[in-house]
Amino acid sequence: MNGANDGRSPPSSRDVEPDEERGDAGPEEPRRPAIYVLEGNTLQTRLTRELGVNYPFVSDGMAFVSLPPLVLAVSEAGGVGMLGVVPEPPDVLDVRIQTVQAGTQKPFGANLLIAPDGGQHRVTREHVDVCIARRVPIVSFQGDLPPADWVTALKGAGIRVWLQAPSLELARQALALGADGLIAQGRQASGINHSGLPTLALVRALRAMTDTVPVLASGGIADGLSAARALFHGADGVWVSTRMVASVEAYAHPDYKQRIVEGDAGDSDFTTVFGADWPGQRMRVLRNRVVREWTGREGRVPMPVPAPERVGSTRLFPGTPGGTSVDIPRFSAFVPTPDTQGDLDEMAMPASGASMARIESIQPAGQIVVELMERARRVLADPHGLEADAEEDDRG
Protein backbone atom coordinates (compact mmCIF):
# COMPACT_ATOMS: atom_id res chain seq x y z
CA MET A 1 0.00 0.00 0.00
CA ASN A 2 1.24 3.45 -0.84
CA GLY A 3 -0.01 4.92 2.41
CA ALA A 4 1.48 2.32 4.76
CA ASN A 5 4.42 3.13 7.03
CA ASP A 6 7.52 1.64 5.44
CA GLY A 7 9.79 2.28 8.42
CA ARG A 8 12.28 4.58 6.71
CA SER A 9 12.98 7.74 8.69
CA PRO A 10 14.70 11.03 7.85
CA PRO A 11 16.85 12.69 10.50
CA SER A 12 14.82 14.04 13.43
CA SER A 13 15.61 16.84 15.81
CA ARG A 14 15.33 17.60 19.50
CA ASP A 15 12.06 17.82 21.38
CA VAL A 16 10.95 21.32 22.38
CA GLU A 17 7.80 21.95 24.39
CA PRO A 18 5.59 24.91 23.43
CA ASP A 19 4.97 27.77 25.80
CA GLU A 20 1.50 29.03 26.65
CA GLU A 21 1.52 32.11 24.45
CA ARG A 22 -1.54 32.23 22.22
CA GLY A 23 -0.91 32.68 18.52
CA ASP A 24 -4.35 33.85 17.41
CA ALA A 25 -3.93 37.44 18.56
CA GLY A 26 -2.51 38.40 15.18
CA PRO A 27 0.24 37.60 12.71
CA GLU A 28 2.57 40.14 14.30
CA GLU A 29 2.69 38.21 17.61
CA PRO A 30 6.00 36.47 18.42
CA ARG A 31 6.00 32.94 17.10
CA ARG A 32 5.77 30.18 19.71
CA PRO A 33 8.62 27.61 19.83
CA ALA A 34 8.07 24.74 17.42
CA ILE A 35 7.16 21.23 18.53
CA TYR A 36 9.75 18.87 17.12
CA VAL A 37 9.37 15.16 16.53
CA LEU A 38 11.41 12.82 18.70
CA GLU A 39 14.03 10.52 17.20
CA GLY A 40 12.26 7.63 15.48
CA ASN A 41 8.82 9.25 15.56
CA THR A 42 7.97 9.24 11.87
CA LEU A 43 5.33 7.87 9.52
CA GLN A 44 6.77 7.41 6.06
CA THR A 45 4.97 7.26 2.73
CA ARG A 46 5.82 8.26 -0.83
CA LEU A 47 4.85 11.85 0.08
CA THR A 48 7.30 12.10 2.97
CA ARG A 49 10.11 10.57 0.92
CA GLU A 50 9.51 13.03 -1.94
CA LEU A 51 9.49 16.04 0.37
CA GLY A 52 11.89 14.91 3.10
CA VAL A 53 9.39 15.50 5.90
CA ASN A 54 8.58 13.36 8.92
CA TYR A 55 4.84 13.06 8.51
CA PRO A 56 2.40 12.75 5.57
CA PHE A 57 0.39 15.62 7.05
CA VAL A 58 -0.56 18.71 5.04
CA SER A 59 -2.44 21.61 6.62
CA ASP A 60 -4.98 23.08 4.20
CA GLY A 61 -4.14 26.57 2.96
CA MET A 62 -7.43 27.99 4.21
CA ALA A 63 -8.46 31.46 3.08
CA PHE A 64 -8.14 34.08 5.85
CA VAL A 65 -7.03 31.46 8.41
CA SER A 66 -3.75 29.93 7.19
CA LEU A 67 -1.21 32.70 7.75
CA PRO A 68 2.53 32.30 8.49
CA PRO A 69 2.21 31.33 12.20
CA LEU A 70 0.12 28.27 11.30
CA VAL A 71 2.29 27.37 8.31
CA LEU A 72 5.46 27.57 10.37
CA ALA A 73 4.04 25.55 13.26
CA VAL A 74 2.96 22.70 10.96
CA SER A 75 6.17 22.57 8.91
CA GLU A 76 8.42 22.77 11.97
CA ALA A 77 6.46 19.90 13.56
CA GLY A 78 7.26 17.61 10.63
CA GLY A 79 4.28 18.18 8.34
CA VAL A 80 3.69 20.58 5.45
CA GLY A 81 2.09 23.96 6.15
CA MET A 82 0.21 25.69 3.34
CA LEU A 83 -0.43 29.44 3.07
CA GLY A 84 -3.97 30.55 2.30
CA VAL A 85 -3.63 33.03 -0.56
CA VAL A 86 -7.16 34.28 -1.29
CA PRO A 87 -8.14 37.10 -0.81
CA GLU A 88 -4.64 38.56 -0.56
CA PRO A 89 -3.07 40.36 -3.56
CA PRO A 90 0.33 39.36 -4.99
CA ASP A 91 2.37 41.89 -2.99
CA VAL A 92 0.88 40.64 0.28
CA LEU A 93 1.54 37.05 -0.77
CA ASP A 94 5.16 38.04 -1.34
CA VAL A 95 5.40 39.34 2.24
CA ARG A 96 3.79 36.18 3.62
CA ILE A 97 6.18 33.90 1.74
CA GLN A 98 9.22 35.84 2.93
CA THR A 99 7.95 35.59 6.51
CA VAL A 100 7.65 31.81 6.24
CA GLN A 101 11.05 31.47 4.59
CA ALA A 102 12.63 33.50 7.39
CA GLY A 103 11.14 31.09 9.95
CA THR A 104 11.84 27.67 8.47
CA GLN A 105 13.93 25.82 5.93
CA LYS A 106 11.41 22.99 5.80
CA PRO A 107 8.93 22.41 2.96
CA PHE A 108 5.79 24.53 2.81
CA GLY A 109 3.42 25.67 0.10
CA ALA A 110 0.91 28.22 -1.12
CA ASN A 111 -2.70 27.29 -1.80
CA LEU A 112 -4.43 29.25 -4.58
CA LEU A 113 -8.21 29.22 -4.95
CA ILE A 114 -9.47 29.50 -8.52
CA ALA A 115 -13.02 30.85 -8.55
CA PRO A 116 -15.10 31.60 -11.65
CA ASP A 117 -15.18 35.09 -13.17
CA GLY A 118 -17.34 37.42 -11.16
CA GLY A 119 -15.73 36.46 -7.86
CA GLN A 120 -14.49 39.38 -5.80
CA HIS A 121 -11.05 37.93 -5.10
CA ARG A 122 -9.47 36.06 -7.99
CA VAL A 123 -6.06 34.49 -8.20
CA THR A 124 -4.01 35.90 -11.07
CA ARG A 125 -0.88 35.03 -12.98
CA GLU A 126 0.90 37.58 -10.77
CA HIS A 127 0.29 35.32 -7.77
CA VAL A 128 1.91 32.47 -9.67
CA ASP A 129 4.87 34.65 -10.63
CA VAL A 130 5.44 35.57 -6.97
CA CYS A 131 5.55 31.87 -6.08
CA ILE A 132 8.04 31.26 -8.87
CA ALA A 133 10.23 34.21 -7.92
CA ARG A 134 10.32 33.10 -4.27
CA ARG A 135 10.80 29.43 -5.20
CA VAL A 136 7.93 28.16 -3.09
CA PRO A 137 8.36 24.36 -2.88
CA ILE A 138 4.69 23.50 -3.49
CA VAL A 139 1.78 25.36 -5.10
CA SER A 140 -1.69 23.85 -4.86
CA PHE A 141 -4.87 24.89 -6.62
CA GLN A 142 -8.41 24.42 -5.31
CA GLY A 143 -11.73 25.14 -6.97
CA ASP A 144 -11.35 25.23 -10.74
CA LEU A 145 -8.25 23.92 -12.49
CA PRO A 146 -5.63 26.57 -13.33
CA PRO A 147 -4.61 27.51 -16.88
CA ALA A 148 -2.14 25.07 -18.43
CA ASP A 149 0.55 27.73 -18.87
CA TRP A 150 0.53 28.41 -15.11
CA VAL A 151 1.22 24.74 -14.41
CA THR A 152 3.94 24.66 -17.07
CA ALA A 153 5.63 27.76 -15.62
CA LEU A 154 5.56 26.43 -12.07
CA LYS A 155 6.89 23.01 -13.01
CA GLY A 156 9.54 24.63 -15.18
CA ALA A 157 10.76 26.43 -12.06
CA GLY A 158 11.02 23.15 -10.18
CA ILE A 159 7.88 23.76 -8.10
CA ARG A 160 5.55 20.85 -7.30
CA VAL A 161 1.97 21.46 -8.43
CA TRP A 162 -0.88 19.80 -6.54
CA LEU A 163 -4.40 19.99 -7.95
CA GLN A 164 -7.67 19.38 -6.16
CA ALA A 165 -9.77 16.52 -7.54
CA PRO A 166 -13.35 16.31 -6.22
CA SER A 167 -14.23 13.82 -8.98
CA LEU A 168 -12.65 11.25 -11.28
CA GLU A 169 -13.14 13.52 -14.29
CA LEU A 170 -11.35 16.43 -12.60
CA ALA A 171 -8.58 14.03 -11.59
CA ARG A 172 -8.11 12.95 -15.21
CA GLN A 173 -7.93 16.58 -16.30
CA ALA A 174 -5.47 17.37 -13.49
CA LEU A 175 -3.18 14.53 -14.51
CA ALA A 176 -3.36 15.67 -18.13
CA LEU A 177 -2.24 19.14 -16.96
CA GLY A 178 0.81 17.57 -15.32
CA ALA A 179 -0.23 17.50 -11.66
CA ASP A 180 2.50 16.32 -9.29
CA GLY A 181 -0.12 15.41 -6.68
CA LEU A 182 -3.89 15.01 -6.34
CA ILE A 183 -5.97 16.30 -3.44
CA ALA A 184 -8.88 13.85 -3.19
CA GLN A 185 -11.64 16.13 -1.91
CA GLY A 186 -14.48 14.03 -0.54
CA ARG A 187 -18.01 15.07 0.41
CA GLN A 188 -16.91 15.56 3.99
CA ALA A 189 -14.44 18.33 3.13
CA SER A 190 -15.12 21.87 4.33
CA GLY A 191 -15.22 25.03 2.23
CA ILE A 192 -16.01 25.12 -1.49
CA ASN A 193 -16.89 21.52 -2.28
CA HIS A 194 -18.34 19.97 -5.44
CA SER A 195 -17.60 16.36 -4.58
CA GLY A 196 -20.19 13.62 -4.79
CA LEU A 197 -18.16 10.81 -3.21
CA PRO A 198 -17.15 10.10 0.39
CA THR A 199 -13.46 10.68 1.00
CA LEU A 200 -12.34 7.05 1.26
CA ALA A 201 -14.26 6.01 -1.85
CA LEU A 202 -12.65 8.83 -3.82
CA VAL A 203 -9.18 7.97 -2.49
CA ARG A 204 -9.57 4.37 -3.61
CA ALA A 205 -10.83 5.46 -7.03
CA LEU A 206 -7.95 7.87 -7.58
CA ARG A 207 -5.45 5.30 -6.35
CA ALA A 208 -6.81 2.87 -8.92
CA MET A 209 -6.53 5.57 -11.59
CA THR A 210 -2.89 6.44 -10.98
CA ASP A 211 0.08 5.10 -9.12
CA THR A 212 2.48 7.76 -10.38
CA VAL A 213 1.65 10.76 -8.16
CA PRO A 214 0.82 11.16 -4.46
CA VAL A 215 -2.86 11.22 -3.50
CA LEU A 216 -3.90 13.25 -0.44
CA ALA A 217 -7.13 12.46 1.41
CA SER A 218 -9.21 15.57 2.11
CA GLY A 219 -12.41 15.54 4.15
CA GLY A 220 -13.18 14.22 7.62
CA ILE A 221 -9.53 13.82 8.69
CA ALA A 222 -9.24 15.10 12.25
CA ASP A 223 -7.68 12.40 14.42
CA GLY A 224 -5.25 9.50 14.23
CA LEU A 225 -7.88 6.92 13.40
CA SER A 226 -9.33 8.84 10.46
CA ALA A 227 -5.81 9.54 9.18
CA ALA A 228 -4.82 5.90 9.52
CA ARG A 229 -7.92 4.80 7.66
CA ALA A 230 -7.16 7.17 4.77
CA LEU A 231 -3.56 5.93 4.55
CA PHE A 232 -4.70 2.31 4.73
CA HIS A 233 -7.12 2.86 1.83
CA GLY A 234 -4.36 4.16 -0.44
CA ALA A 235 -3.69 7.80 0.41
CA ASP A 236 -0.07 8.96 0.51
CA GLY A 237 -0.96 11.73 2.95
CA VAL A 238 -3.78 13.66 4.59
CA TRP A 239 -4.96 17.20 3.85
CA VAL A 240 -6.36 18.59 7.10
CA SER A 241 -8.68 21.59 7.33
CA THR A 242 -11.29 21.83 10.09
CA ARG A 243 -8.99 20.36 12.73
CA MET A 244 -6.45 23.09 11.99
CA VAL A 245 -9.01 25.89 12.41
CA ALA A 246 -9.25 24.71 16.02
CA SER A 247 -5.54 25.28 16.59
CA VAL A 248 -3.84 28.01 18.60
CA GLU A 249 -2.01 29.42 15.58
CA ALA A 250 -4.96 29.52 13.18
CA TYR A 251 -6.01 33.10 12.40
CA ALA A 252 -9.66 32.36 13.12
CA HIS A 253 -12.07 34.13 15.45
CA PRO A 254 -12.10 32.53 18.94
CA ASP A 255 -15.85 31.91 18.72
CA TYR A 256 -15.40 30.18 15.35
CA LYS A 257 -12.82 27.88 16.92
CA GLN A 258 -15.06 27.14 19.89
CA ARG A 259 -18.03 26.30 17.68
CA ILE A 260 -15.89 23.72 15.92
CA VAL A 261 -14.90 22.16 19.25
CA GLU A 262 -18.55 22.03 20.33
CA GLY A 263 -19.86 20.84 16.93
CA ASP A 264 -20.79 17.30 15.93
CA ALA A 265 -21.31 15.25 12.78
CA GLY A 266 -24.64 16.82 11.88
CA ASP A 267 -23.56 20.41 12.49
CA SER A 268 -22.34 21.26 8.98
CA ASP A 269 -24.23 21.56 5.72
CA PHE A 270 -23.87 22.31 2.02
CA THR A 271 -25.13 25.70 0.88
CA THR A 272 -24.69 28.30 -1.84
CA VAL A 273 -26.03 31.08 0.36
CA PHE A 274 -22.63 32.82 0.58
CA GLY A 275 -22.76 33.88 -3.04
CA ALA A 276 -21.95 37.56 -2.67
CA ASP A 277 -18.28 36.75 -3.38
CA TRP A 278 -18.43 33.42 -5.26
CA PRO A 279 -21.84 33.10 -6.93
CA GLY A 280 -23.17 29.55 -7.14
CA GLN A 281 -20.25 27.99 -5.26
CA ARG A 282 -21.43 25.17 -3.01
CA MET A 283 -19.73 25.32 0.38
CA ARG A 284 -19.70 23.00 3.37
CA VAL A 285 -19.99 25.25 6.39
CA LEU A 286 -20.98 25.21 10.03
CA ARG A 287 -24.75 25.31 10.47
CA ASN A 288 -25.30 28.68 12.07
CA ARG A 289 -28.46 30.78 11.85
CA VAL A 290 -28.05 32.08 8.29
CA VAL A 291 -27.30 28.58 6.99
CA ARG A 292 -30.32 27.06 8.73
CA GLU A 293 -32.55 29.88 7.49
CA TRP A 294 -31.56 29.91 3.81
CA THR A 295 -30.19 26.48 2.84
CA GLY A 296 -32.58 24.90 0.38
CA ARG A 297 -34.02 28.20 -0.74
CA GLU A 298 -30.90 30.06 -1.82
CA GLY A 299 -32.70 31.19 -4.98
CA ARG A 300 -34.59 33.68 -2.86
CA VAL A 301 -31.44 35.34 -1.52
CA PRO A 302 -31.39 38.91 -2.88
CA MET A 303 -28.43 39.35 -5.22
CA PRO A 304 -26.76 41.73 -5.31
CA VAL A 305 -27.24 42.34 -1.60
CA PRO A 306 -28.72 45.79 -0.85
CA ALA A 307 -25.87 48.10 0.11
CA PRO A 308 -26.96 48.88 3.70
CA GLU A 309 -27.10 45.19 4.65
CA ARG A 310 -23.92 44.44 6.56
CA VAL A 311 -23.29 41.90 9.30
CA GLY A 312 -20.00 43.19 10.64
CA SER A 313 -16.52 44.38 9.80
CA THR A 314 -13.08 42.84 9.50
CA ARG A 315 -9.51 43.62 8.52
CA LEU A 316 -7.98 42.32 5.33
CA PHE A 317 -4.26 41.54 4.97
CA PRO A 318 -3.55 41.70 8.74
CA GLY A 319 0.01 42.26 9.82
CA THR A 320 1.05 43.96 6.58
CA PRO A 321 1.32 47.65 5.63
CA GLY A 322 -1.53 47.19 3.16
CA GLY A 323 -3.97 45.97 5.79
CA THR A 324 -7.36 47.62 5.54
CA SER A 325 -10.67 47.57 7.42
CA VAL A 326 -13.78 46.61 5.44
CA ASP A 327 -17.46 46.00 6.03
CA ILE A 328 -18.79 42.44 5.72
CA PRO A 329 -21.96 42.43 3.60
CA ARG A 330 -24.67 39.89 4.26
CA PHE A 331 -24.16 36.57 2.43
CA SER A 332 -20.44 37.28 2.02
CA ALA A 333 -17.93 34.40 2.12
CA PHE A 334 -15.57 36.37 4.40
CA VAL A 335 -14.43 34.05 7.20
CA PRO A 336 -14.41 35.48 10.75
CA THR A 337 -10.91 36.19 12.10
CA PRO A 338 -9.69 37.78 15.35
CA ASP A 339 -10.17 41.16 13.62
CA THR A 340 -13.84 40.47 12.88
CA GLN A 341 -16.62 42.25 14.73
CA GLY A 342 -20.31 41.58 14.22
CA ASP A 343 -22.81 38.73 14.12
CA LEU A 344 -21.03 35.42 13.50
CA ASP A 345 -24.40 33.74 13.04
CA GLU A 346 -24.59 35.59 9.71
CA MET A 347 -21.08 34.66 8.54
CA ALA A 348 -19.47 31.81 6.60
CA MET A 349 -17.54 29.39 8.80
CA PRO A 350 -16.18 26.49 6.72
CA ALA A 351 -16.33 23.28 8.73
CA SER A 352 -16.71 19.53 8.32
CA GLY A 353 -19.17 17.77 10.60
CA ALA A 354 -17.24 14.51 10.29
CA SER A 355 -14.18 16.35 11.58
CA MET A 356 -15.99 18.25 14.32
CA ALA A 357 -17.19 14.93 15.73
CA ARG A 358 -13.51 14.10 16.36
CA ILE A 359 -12.31 17.44 17.78
CA GLU A 360 -12.31 17.93 21.54
CA SER A 361 -10.15 20.99 22.17
CA ILE A 362 -8.11 23.84 20.71
CA GLN A 363 -4.43 22.80 20.66
CA PRO A 364 -1.11 24.09 19.35
CA ALA A 365 -0.80 23.15 15.69
CA GLY A 366 2.49 21.31 16.19
CA GLN A 367 0.93 19.20 18.92
CA ILE A 368 -1.96 18.34 16.62
CA VAL A 369 0.43 17.21 13.88
CA VAL A 370 2.56 15.01 16.12
CA GLU A 371 -0.25 13.47 18.17
CA LEU A 372 -2.46 12.79 15.14
CA MET A 373 0.33 11.22 13.13
CA GLU A 374 1.74 9.18 16.01
CA ARG A 375 -1.73 7.80 16.73
CA ALA A 376 -2.08 6.95 13.03
CA ARG A 377 1.27 5.16 13.13
CA ARG A 378 0.17 3.02 16.08
CA VAL A 379 -3.14 2.16 14.44
CA LEU A 380 -1.42 1.15 11.20
CA ALA A 381 0.90 -1.14 13.14
CA ASP A 382 -2.20 -3.26 13.90
CA PRO A 383 -4.67 -2.30 11.15
CA HIS A 384 -7.44 -4.74 12.06
CA GLY A 385 -10.80 -3.25 11.12
CA LEU A 386 -9.51 -0.51 8.84
CA GLU A 387 -10.91 -2.28 5.78
CA ALA A 388 -14.45 -1.13 6.58
CA ASP A 389 -15.91 2.32 5.96
CA ALA A 390 -18.13 2.08 9.03
CA GLU A 391 -16.49 5.04 10.74
CA GLU A 392 -16.76 7.35 7.74
CA ASP A 393 -19.74 9.58 8.50
CA ASP A 394 -21.13 10.95 5.23
CA ARG A 395 -23.32 13.48 7.08
CA GLY A 396 -20.52 15.93 7.45
Side-chain angles (χ1 to χ4, degrees):
M1 294 179 298
N2 294 301
N5 183 6
D6 64 10
R8 285 185 274 183
S9 305
S12 299
S13 53
R14 60 189 178 89
D15 180 45
V16 177
E17 292 297 328
D19 62 18
E20 296 301 317
E21 179 186 0
R22 293 186 59 83
D24 58 359
E28 296 178 339
E29 290 290 310
R31 184 165 61 90
R32 62 192 303 119
I35 296 176
Y36 290 91
V37 295
L38 293 171
E39 184 67 34
N41 284 16
T42 56
L43 178 57
Q44 294 301 292
T45 69
R46 171 168 46 194
L47 180 71
T48 62
R49 293 193 299 274
E50 283 190 5
L51 299 178
V53 297
N54 291 90
Y55 295 122
F57 183 109
V58 184
S59 179
D60 183 6
M62 299 168 284
F64 299 93
V65 172
S66 296
L67 299 186
L70 179 57
V71 176
L72 288 165
V74 171
S75 290
E76 286 290 294
V80 180
M82 301 290 289
L83 275 170
V85 175
V86 171
E88 301 187 333
D91 60 333
V92 175
L93 172 61
D94 193 35
V95 172
R96 301 288 193 216
I97 292 171
Q98 291 183 69
T99 300
V100 174
Q101 290 174 330
T104 187
Q105 295 182 345
K106 297 185 178 181
F108 73 98
N111 185 49
L112 281 60
L113 177 60
I114 306 292
D117 287 340
Q120 188 173 358
H121 305 292
R122 294 192 63 233
V123 166
T124 67
R125 175 57 191 259
E126 286 72 26
H127 289 90
V128 172
D129 290 340
V130 168
C131 292
I132 292 173
R134 294 294 174 190
R135 298 189 178 275
V136 175
I138 305 158
V139 170
S140 59
F141 291 93
Q142 291 184 276
D144 289 352
L145 294 176
D149 64 297
W150 294 11
V151 176
T152 300
L154 288 163
K155 289 171 66 70
I159 295 172
R160 286 180 170 86
V161 178
W162 293 348
L163 301 181
Q164 186 184 73
S167 67
L168 295 180
E169 178 57 32
L170 262 293
R172 292 188 186 95
Q173 294 178 33
L175 291 172
L177 276 177
D180 298 303
L182 297 175
I183 304 164
Q185 186 196 48
R187 279 181 50 86
Q188 295 93 327
S190 63
I192 293 179
N193 186 327
H194 294 285
S195 181
L197 288 174
T199 302
L200 295 186
L202 183 58
V203 165
R204 289 193 297 269
L206 296 190
R207 185 80 287 154
M209 176 186 295
T210 178
D211 195 39
T212 60
V213 302
V215 172
L216 306 179
S218 171
I221 312 296
D223 63 1
L225 180 60
S226 54
R229 183 169 285 109
L231 295 171
F232 182 86
H233 282 264
D236 299 291
V238 293
W239 178 273
V240 185
S241 302
T242 304
R243 182 64 190 97
M244 303 315 294
V245 176
S247 69
V248 172
E249 292 85 352
Y251 202 66
H253 193 284
D255 187 45
Y256 178 15
K257 296 183 183 186
Q258 190 59 36
R259 291 183 190 214
I260 285 177
V261 171
E262 296 172 357
D264 208 338
D267 292 332
S268 74
D269 207 347
F270 284 123
T271 185
T272 59
V273 71
F274 299 109
D277 302 294
W278 294 312
Q281 292 295 304
R282 189 180 77 162
M283 300 177 66
R284 183 178 283 285
V285 294
L286 199 148
R287 294 185 75 242
N288 56 3
R289 183 178 62 239
V290 68
V291 173
R292 291 192 299 269
E293 179 180 354
W294 290 97
T295 297
R297 59 191 195 98
E298 289 95 336
R300 300 166 124 188
V301 173
M303 289 293 168
V305 177
E309 288 203 55
R310 57 183 293 278
V311 296
S313 62
T314 194
R315 184 173 180 81
L316 297 181
F317 328 137
T320 69
T324 181
S325 296
V326 296
D327 287 338
I328 302 176
R330 198 174 189 208
F331 307 121
S332 166
F334 281 24
V335 173
T337 71
D339 303 307
T340 300
Q341 297 181 344
D343 186 357
L344 267 65
D345 265 309
E346 291 289 330
M347 298 182 191
M349 290 182 279
S352 161
S355 292
M356 288 191 288
R358 299 180 169 103
I359 298 171
E360 297 181 353
S361 63
I362 298 166
Q363 295 178 296
Q367 183 178 341
I368 292 171
V369 172
V370 173
E371 290 184 356
L372 188 152
M373 287 282 97
E374 286 304 309
R375 170 62 175 159
R377 181 174 63 86
R378 292 192 294 271
V379 171
L380 287 168
D382 182 17
H384 178 71
L386 292 184
E387 298 90 345
D389 291 357
E391 295 296 322
E392 186 171 46
D393 194 330
D394 192 38
R395 287 181 293 166

